[in-house]
Each structure stands twice: as structure tokens, then as C-alpha cells.
Amino acid sequence: MSIDPKRIIATPKADFHRLTGRACRIKFEALDAESLRELQRFLRDLHHEQQMAVNRARMMPWRRP
């Protein structure tokens, strides 16, 4: 089973755009598959942390971070 590099690259690009609201200037094509997966994992963790902070602020708006 062959892995399509365009499909691997599309996910981090979309995640960056969704999280930051702008396109990034990283050359994803220069990264190997393992680095792309690590980047994808980092972005997923970052999004999870962001959602947890939002949820904490909604549940307890009187507390400071």
C-alpha cells in the first residue's frame, strides 16, 4: 500500500490554516513522512489544548488561567 504524499501534506496545511486563520509558508514537501506525522500530532495536541482552555473558561469564567 503506497502512501500518497499529497494527502499527507494536505492535512497539516489545512490544520495550520484552521488554527491560525492564514496560510503558512512552510515547505511541507521538504519534510519526510515521519516529520509530517509528528507535525500533525503536534497540531492535533495544540488544538486539543486550545479547546480545553476554551471549555475551562466557559465553565469557570471567574478563574484566571
Side-chain angles (χ1 to χ4, degrees), residues 31-46:
L31 299 173
D32 62 343
E34 184 179 350
S35 298
L36 285 167
R37 281 191 292 271
E38 285 298 317
L39 179 61
Q40 190 175 8
R41 182 179 297 137
F42 169 74
L43 292 172
R44 188 174 41 238
D45 291 346
L46 183 64

Side-chain angles (χ1 to χ4, degrees), residues 22-65:
R22 61 181 180 85
C24 63
R25 295 175 27 190
I26 297 173
K27 294 182 181 178
F28 293 103
E29 296 80 14
L31 299 173
D32 62 343
E34 184 179 350
S35 298
L36 285 167
R37 281 191 292 271
E38 285 298 317
L39 179 61
Q40 190 175 8
R41 182 179 297 137
F42 169 74
L43 292 172
R44 188 174 41 238
D45 291 346
L46 183 64
H47 177 67
H48 180 71
E49 289 291 325
Q50 180 186 28
Q51 288 303 113
M52 285 178 35
V54 167
N55 290 338
R56 275 193 304 271
R58 285 182 184 153
M59 290 176 16
M60 297 177 272
W62 61 90
R63 292 187 120 185
R64 288 187 156 180

